[in-house]
Amino acid sequence: MKFVWKAIILLLLSASVEAKSNDNRFCGLFGEVYQHSVRKRILSGIPFELMGALFGTGSEQGMLLGKKSVHITYNLWDELILVRSGEKILGRFSIDDGRKELCKFLEIGMGVPGVVSGKKYRFRLLLNPMWNERMARLQIATSVELENRRLVDINWKKIAEDMPSEKVLMEEELEL
Amino acid sequence: MFRLYLIFTSLLMAEAMVASAQESSAQVHEMESVHDILPSPYFIDGEHCIGTNQKELSESWLISKEEVEITNKIDAQEDCEDLLRAFGLEKYKWFNPEDLESASSKLKQSGFFEDVELFIKKSELKNHIHVFMRAKTKPRYVYSLQNELKFYENLNLAAVSDKSARLFNRISGEVIDRTYQPNSKEAWGFQLDTALASNRSLMVSGWESETLSFNNISEAYTNINKNYYIADFYFKHNRMMSRNLVLDFIGHLLLDNVQSSGPFVSASAYVDTDLVYSRYIRYIRGTFYGGVGLVFSSMRSTPSYAFLPGLKMGVHFGRDTGTFFRQDVSVFHSLFFPISFFQGKTEFQVDLGENINGSLIFKFRDVQSLVFPRDFAPSTDLDSNQSAFGFSKNFVKDKSRTQLDWRLGYEWLGYTPPQGVGESVFTSLGYKLISDDLNVNFSFGYYFQRVY
């Protein structure tokens, strides 16, 4: 009898681990990017934006399904990261905690309209994306660099789909 | 069994309590106003540029090694501060972190550097910082080559019973040195216009002549039909005054044989200074410019030379890619001579998808009171007004664009009497390559005899 109960408990635990595996995979991948690029960027002291963007695959290729963006400011004196989304403060933490904390704010999972379980999606982590909110906040216009890079095919639909940015820090196909 | 149930329920409750505590802490954060905990502004104690090029003096008998070192250091520092000022950052002033973010974005987007990043370091006092700009410069030179070939079956001037086919060619090249950009930029270039006519004799009011002479009514007609060249060599220097303001200096030397029959070559030289104000408003670029031009030229009617100072101004409004509407207008008026020059171009382009663009173009150009010899030759664009529509297909690669272009249009030439007015229907094919360090543009236009 004891053996049966142990087996049931193990099964329940493994199911819970399975459900969280995607989250952990994302945070694992983010951890590497954090160590290589994001941490250095934070320490530079210049505020910046990170955006997690989820795109469809197959027939929905390139379609932007959901996005989450955070604005990161680092104070050189108290050595704390301030994370905001628009006007909302999402958190304040040390540079070492940034690795696990930031991942929570950028992860896009179930609950996004059009996203179904078991399907593959393409996830991009964008550094300083060119989107309306950021451009309006900084009062910057898309200029030479963007036009030179894209050269001809600037059209609003494509911009929404491709979400041009300063750099794509991570691009992975994930199964949700 | 019951014990196990109790363990499970207590575990679940504990997890729920932790989750609720985390949630409430997040809510507390959200309730805080962003203004309560925004980082304080920074005071910039120093600015430093790494990786940019500066003009450097070298040691000579006039200046010692120590003086050279000090001067170069001061110049480099001034250039660095000028550059950062142009992007919104200034030494010994307070700035918000978002100002730094904005400057960083503008620098990145400027396209002046292959790669550029800003970073800050703490200074001695709290909230006092040093700003560093680390840049990787682009390839030093940009090369441009253009060739425009136009073939007229018959220029079909109304005032001349002329059956001469003509070939106009304009080849131009330019090398831009961007070693010191964005602080300054230099360019050397040339433009060579050549014209060939199949039949150089004319029947004008019963008077036939191949003679090329000055001060004669026949001069106009012979100039239309003769073979000629106009060469323009120029040097351009521009200096950035601020992010939106650039001072241009262009020196031209022109040579031509338009009004000469033999080896005689007439020469002109002129200097243009322009103050150019450019600004991007979202996706649209607006450029306003104005300046003074000083022309030293041989005159058409007499073999003498004259200084012709004049004023010019213009506006360029629009975008260069995708769907856009663009308007260019420029005007030149000489201060002491009755010379005016007026030209404009209106362009409407529609992005049809699949990298295909459709466009409508209207061009006009009007030169009043022809004075310079070169103004008296029907070059590729003198007094040419055009309406055209066309399509272009673009092939975009990572850092370059190739464009194939086709146009169909109608041209009417408004030459000053007695040359008359000419009309043609034309079609043209073009090839364009735009990349970071090479721009090539070739086009061929075929101008039919009047078909209507």
Side-chain angles (χ1 to χ4, degrees), chain A residues 5 44 46-47 71 73 76-77 84 87 132 134 137-138 140-143 145 151-153 156 159 166, chain B residues 1 4 34 39 97-98 101-102 105 108-109 118-120 122 127-128 282-283 321-322 355 394 396 401:
Chain A
W5 276 114
S44 78
I46 309 291
H71 182 252
T73 315
L76 296 179
W77 280 267
R84 293 186 276 157
E87 287 286 292
N132 288 345
R134 178 167 176 272
R137 180 169 56 80
L138 297 177
I140 50 171
T142 310
S143 62
E145 176 65 15
L151 294 161
V152 242
D153 51 345
W156 292 101
I159 279 185
E166 193 179 305
Chain B
M1 172 96 177
L4 202 67
V34 69
E98 289 210 348
E101 186 183 1
S102 173
S105 289
K108 282 259 180 198
Q109 286 179 54
L118 277 189
F119 59 96
I120 56 171
K122 283 196 269 189
N127 287 342
H128 284 233
R282 297 286 280 181
Y283 284 80
T321 54
N355 286 340
N394 295 278
V396 183
R401 169 164 65 102

Side-chain angles (χ1 to χ4, degrees), chain A residues 46-47 138, chain B residues 41 87-89 94-106 118:
Chain A
I46 309 291
L138 297 177
Chain B
F87 287 89
L89 297 179
W94 290 95
F95 290 94
N96 287 319
E98 289 210 348
D99 296 327
L100 296 171
E101 186 183 1
S102 173
S104 169
S105 289
K106 284 170 185 168
L118 277 189

Side-chain angles (χ1 to χ4, degrees), chain B residues 273-384:
Chain B
T273 51
D274 283 327
L275 198 56
V276 184
Y277 177 81
S278 303
R279 194 178 168 89
Y280 271 94
I281 309 152
R282 297 286 280 181
Y283 284 80
I284 296 167
R285 183 185 174 87
T287 302
F288 303 89
Y289 64 91
V292 182
L294 186 65
V295 183
F296 181 68
S297 175
S298 61
M299 307 295 281
R300 178 183 65 84
S301 50
T302 55
S304 62
Y305 282 83
F307 272 113
L308 303 168
L311 293 172
K312 71 171 189 176
M313 61 176 296
V315 58
H316 170 112
F317 182 75
R319 255 185 48 201
D320 295 330
T321 54
T323 297
F324 67 76
F325 171 76
R326 186 168 57 198
Q327 180 67 58
D328 296 297
V329 179
S330 62
V331 179
F332 171 84
H333 186 72
S334 172
L335 290 175
F336 307 114
F337 288 83
I339 305 163
S340 295
F341 170 88
F342 188 52
Q343 73 174 12
K345 186 177 177 185
T346 305
E347 195 168 357
F348 179 63
Q349 182 173 288
V350 184
D351 186 343
L352 299 171
E354 303 292 325
N355 286 340
I356 297 174
N357 295 318
S359 56
L360 272 176
I361 298 162
F362 303 97
K363 284 199 293 192
F364 60 90
R365 189 176 154 101
D366 187 25
V367 180
Q368 300 287 332
S369 305
L370 306 177
V371 170
F372 311 126
R374 62 192 163 87
D375 292 338
F376 228 71
S379 62
T380 53
D381 53 7
L382 180 77
D383 280 7
S384 155

Side-chain angles (χ1 to χ4, degrees), chain B residues 363-366 383-387 410-414:
Chain B
K363 284 199 293 192
F364 60 90
R365 189 176 154 101
D366 187 25
D383 280 7
S384 155
N385 306 295
Q386 287 185 356
S387 302
Y410 165 68
E411 180 186 64
W412 64 105
L413 299 162

